[in-house]
Amino acid sequence: MQYAAAVVAATLMFVDAGGNQLSEHHKIKAMQAESTRVRKVYGRPSQILDEKLCVIAQRHANWMARTGRFEHSGEATGTHSGEQIIAWGQDSAYRAFYGWLSSRGADGRSGHYRWVVGTEKRCGFGCQKGHDGRWLWVGVYR
């Protein structure tokens, strides 16, 4: 089972081995499309999909899949690689974003929601199938 997870992890992490950008992967593009759709609904401009932020997000998604730990980067590594939002178990980008939008602080504007509709101009996304076969989703914003 660990070998299968490693093969899946390599598939997304090294999608650029053939000269393609990670941000061109169909799952990452689906996340960007959903982000743009959601931001439009909330009257927010779309964000620039940043390849470097996608790599950061993808590395974190791969790490969670490899270790079986569902944690933000600061908890996982002791260093913070960017404000991340993470989700686990949703079968599509749509459902991941729906969950993030539903995650609000007591003020109604904080939590994961704040990152999805925030003022950051750049974003990066990553996703990976976990050891249990369910998808892990990651967003990084700057």
Side-chain angles (χ1 to χ4, degrees), residues 94-134:
Y94 169 83
R95 291 182 189 267
F97 275 88
Y98 181 81
W100 287 328
L101 286 171
S102 300
S103 174
R104 299 183 187 202
D107 62 3
R109 296 175 306 213
S110 60
H112 293 95
Y113 168 88
R114 176 258 180 272
W115 294 109
V116 174
V117 299
T119 59
E120 290 73 21
K121 299 196 181 330
R122 298 180 300 131
C123 62
F125 300 110
C127 60
Q128 188 57 267
K129 255 191 183 172
H131 65 283
D132 62 356
R134 295 188 297 170

Side-chain angles (χ1 to χ4, degrees), residues 12 14-26 28-29 50-52 54-55:
L12 274 181
F14 298 109
V15 73
D16 62 342
N20 296 322
Q21 299 286 326
L22 180 60
S23 56
E24 292 299 315
H25 190 276
H26 69 95
I28 305 303
K29 289 175 100 171
D50 185 302
E51 183 68 20
K52 289 179 183 177
C54 286
V55 169

Side-chain angles (χ1 to χ4, degrees), residues 67-85:
T67 63
R69 293 171 63 180
F70 181 67
E71 301 174 8
H72 288 277
S73 65
E75 299 166 24
T77 64
T79 60
H80 209 283
S81 59
E83 292 306 323
Q84 295 184 338
I85 52 176

Side-chain angles (χ1 to χ4, degrees), residues 3 11 13 19 23 27-28 32 35 48 60 64 69 77 82 88 93-94 108 127 132 138:
Y3 174 75
T11 301
M13 190 58 213
S23 56
K27 289 261 187 206
I28 305 303
Q32 174 64 10
S35 174
I48 297 167
H60 192 67
M64 288 191 298
R69 293 171 63 180
T77 64
W88 173 41
Y94 169 83
C127 60
D132 62 356
V138 178

Side-chain angles (χ1 to χ4, degrees), residues 27-47:
K27 289 261 187 206
I28 305 303
K29 289 175 100 171
M31 293 182 78
Q32 174 64 10
E34 187 58 26
S35 174
T36 299
R37 186 192 72 76
V38 164
R39 290 178 65 81
K40 185 175 182 180
V41 167
Y42 285 87
R44 305 294 300 150
S46 60
Q47 296 169 311

